[in-house]
Amino acid sequence: MRNYKFMAVENLSTRDKKYLWHPLTQHKLSKPQLPIVKAKGALLYDEDGNTYIDGIASWYTTMYGHGNEQIISAMTKQMQKLDFVMFSGLTHEPAIELSEQLMAILPENQAKIFFNDNGSTAIDAAIKMALQYFHNHGERRDTLIAFEDGFHGDTFGAMSASGLSSYNGPFEDFLLKVIRISIPKEHNLVSVKNKLKTILEENDCAAFIFEPLVQGAAGMKFHSAQGLDDLIQLCQSHDVLCIADEIMTGFGKTGMDFASENLLNKPDIICLSKALTAGMFPLSITSCSQKVYDRFLSDEVQKGFFHAHTFSAHPIGCAAALAGIALLNSPEIKERRAYIEKAHGRFSREIENHEKVGNVRVKGVILAIDLQLKIERYGNLRDELYRFFLERGVLLRPLGNTIYVLPPYVITNLQLQKIYDTITEVLNTF
Ligand SMILES: *Cc1c(COP(=O)(O)O)cnc(C)c1O
């Protein structure tokens, strides 16, 4: 028996070190993890009562604020009525209603909702759907197309599609076959299109998977909707399914409810998670068009989609998602979304000529600043920067030499200004 009483008097950092293994962490080199005991709105509170402004909405999830009463109330009511049942053979109203609400806001070609439990599994389901879509038709298509530096998650399928080498190194030999193209920019559009044409002609391509308009983990890199539209059109003309990973961009981040709304050629499959449940519950969906769904209808049982996660369509997650969708286009949140975009614009113009600032860009509530500093993704300078922000009560996670702000919609004007002021201090210090 371990002495838990003794352990309880030690502080959280000490106890954390004993048994926990944290994600994206080299424990031999890392500083202690910061224990958070409470969160409300855009604020996080640590053990000693210090506060931190959550400038990235806890990995772009808690867009309506931590501890949002409306969402908590919806989840509590759901929990008391029906906590959980499996979703194979059974169904329930929260999932049904969520499918209806999502259909009302997703691009109009989307027809069916498949539930998973996190971003990576939504992507894996999408990839398997695409592969089986051809298999069910007696066709073997074994190749995926993806953007360089894309990020789609850490399970094997999702990792295969991801192009950030800092994550994939040890597993390169075990991944699905993926061919990468550059993100389309004005200067390279013709060459990217030509490369894609060649890829489509020389390979058996099943799907093209992409983060539409903004590549999150790559450092909030933007590309043009027009360019992406052209690539989608080219893929669809070869009957290659297009998968939009809107796990980061979904639910208003880029200005529109979904980045795919900027596209004329609609994706065949869309993945959503993160802000789907407002950061309150792990849940994700993979939606698809009628054309995709119909390929799985057959008198042969095995042509169905035999893929399931235990917690698919968890009712409490569905209740959180429904409450979040009700907030997304409420007058208050709409006003905040517009305010943040304007404020980002003002601040970016203020700093764009600073000697330490390279590219600075804004899309919706996303602000990204490339610093003219050599910062490695997991290097010392990056850690110093991270600490510098924390010591001033701001939580940001620089991605290499990119600082980005993606705050909860409910952040106050003063809190947002404090983030800007701290960034200005960084520019004048580092
Ligand atoms: C976070 C993220 C994922 C992976 O989601 P997890 O829930 O972390 O598995 C996939 N794609 C994008 C664009 C993401 O931002």
Side-chain angles (χ1 to χ4, degrees):
M1 272 288 280
R2 297 187 176 108
N3 187 348
Y4 283 100
K5 228 182 197 164
F6 171 71
M7 290 167 78
V9 301
E10 294 181 59
N11 72 20
L12 292 176
S13 278
T14 311
R15 285 164 63 198
D16 174 272
K17 275 211 190 102
K18 248 175 202 147
Y19 300 121
L20 289 177
W21 188 345
H22 286 265
L24 306 178
T25 303
Q26 171 48 268
H27 279 285
K28 186 161 181 205
L29 304 173
S30 74
K31 302 245 170 28
Q33 313 286 325
L34 176 67
I36 297 298
V37 295
K38 196 174 99 172
K40 192 76 187 170
L43 283 186
L44 307 175
Y45 297 76
D46 75 10
E47 231 180 341
D48 302 321
N50 301 310
T51 61
Y52 307 88
I53 301 168
D54 188 351
I56 58 166
S58 289
W59 269 336
Y60 359 117
T61 58
T62 56
M63 300 310 291
Y64 315 103
H66 291 276
N68 184 295
E69 301 291 348
Q70 274 159 280
I71 298 173
I72 291 176
S73 155
M75 294 170 76
T76 309
K77 277 195 200 123
Q78 184 53 52
M79 213 179 299
Q80 285 161 343
K81 191 169 172 195
L82 168 66
D83 49 5
F84 175 69
V85 280
M86 62 203 153
F87 202 58
S88 185
L90 304 173
T91 192
H92 49 74
E93 192 175 8
I96 295 166
E97 194 173 334
L98 180 53
S99 70
E100 293 162 354
Q101 294 289 331
L102 284 170
M103 281 309 157
I105 55 173
L106 280 168
E108 62 277 8
N109 73 330
Q110 298 301 295
K112 296 286 172 184
I113 304 281
F114 188 89
F115 279 98
N116 318 281
D117 51 14
N118 64 61
S120 302
T121 57
I123 297 289
D124 274 20
I127 292 172
K128 285 175 71 175
M129 261 179 209
L131 295 174
Q132 191 178 341
Y133 173 87
F134 294 102
H135 180 89
N136 279 357
H137 200 235
E139 245 185 288
R140 184 172 188 278
R141 295 206 187 187
D142 62 359
T143 304
L144 304 176
I145 304 162
F147 281 139
E148 280 156 13
D149 295 334
F151 178 73
H152 301 287
D154 285 340
T155 53
F156 260 85
M159 181 172 58
S160 300
S162 298
L164 284 170
S165 52
S166 48
Y167 298 128
N168 287 359
F171 315 107
E172 295 283 348
D173 292 347
F174 309 99
L175 303 177
L176 300 173
K177 185 176 166 203
V178 178
I179 303 180
R180 281 178 211 294
I181 54 175
S182 307
I183 51 173
K185 298 266 194 180
E186 241 152 65
H187 70 272
N188 70 355
L189 186 55
V190 173
S191 74
V192 175
K193 268 166 51 179
N194 284 336
K195 181 168 179 202
L196 179 60
K197 245 184 231 154
T198 311
I199 293 169
L200 289 167
E201 279 157 16
E202 293 179 354
N203 298 275
D204 297 317
C205 297
F208 168 38
I209 180 165
F210 52 87
E211 294 163 87
L213 272 52
V214 184
Q215 291 185 299
M220 297 295 157
K221 284 194 193 153
F222 298 173
H223 57 263
S224 79
Q226 175 66 55
L228 178 59
D229 234 341
D230 289 357
L231 302 182
I232 293 174
Q233 188 177 34
L234 205 53
C235 284
Q236 288 179 336
S237 72
H238 284 75
D239 194 26
V240 168
L241 296 179
C242 292
I243 303 172
D245 176 352
E246 292 237 25
I247 293 166
M248 191 282 284
T249 51
F251 301 97
K253 273 47 160 290
T254 65
M256 303 275 203
D257 286 356
F258 299 100
S260 297
E261 287 170 45
N262 294 284
L263 303 169
L264 293 174
N265 299 293
K266 298 301 179 197
D268 303 281
I269 296 176
I270 297 177
C271 298
L272 303 174
S273 186
K274 292 205 163 108
L276 168 67
T277 49
M280 298 286 200
F281 204 90
L283 185 82
S284 64
I285 65 108
T286 307
S287 70
C288 70
S289 65
Q290 191 69 39
K291 174 182 102 168
V292 174
Y293 179 75
D294 284 348
R295 267 288 166 90
F296 292 75
L297 298 180
S298 168
D299 292 326
E300 295 169 61
V301 175
Q302 62 273 25
K303 285 199 170 164
F305 192 45
F306 282 83
H307 179 102
H309 297 290
T310 306
F311 292 124
S312 299
H314 200 299
I316 299 169
C318 292
L322 284 165
I325 290 172
L327 286 170
L328 178 65
N329 284 308
S330 64
E332 304 78 54
I333 295 293
K334 273 209 132 143
E335 185 276 324
R336 295 313 300 160
R337 287 166 62 180
Y339 177 87
I340 295 168
E341 183 165 356
K342 265 215 195 103
H344 279 352
R346 266 198 308 272
F347 178 62
S348 66
R349 284 188 295 278
E350 251 172 58
I351 58 164
E352 66 190 351
N353 293 320
H354 194 287
E355 56 174 8
K356 297 274 175 55
V357 173
N359 184 274
V360 51
R361 52 198 177 274
V362 175
K363 198 179 290 293
V365 298
I366 305 170
L367 163 70
I369 305 159
D370 296 340
L371 302 179
Q372 304 271 43
L373 294 169
K374 274 240 165 310
I375 305 180
E376 280 173 41
R377 218 174 167 83
Y378 292 99
N380 287 336
L381 191 53
R382 184 262 174 214
D383 281 349
E384 262 178 63
L385 207 55
Y386 177 70
R387 298 271 142 199
F388 187 93
F389 281 117
L390 276 187
E391 281 159 14
R392 282 153 188 79
V394 173
L395 176 71
L396 294 180
R397 276 179 68 92
L399 293 163
N401 65 340
T402 304
I403 296 176
Y404 75 95
V405 183
L406 202 172
Y409 299 136
V410 299
I411 192 168
T412 66
N413 297 3
L414 278 177
Q415 288 167 339
L416 192 56
Q417 189 56 47
K418 173 152 184 208
I419 295 179
Y420 298 151
D421 291 345
T422 313
I423 292 175
T424 306
E425 210 186 330
V426 162
L427 295 177
N428 295 328
T429 306
F430 278 77

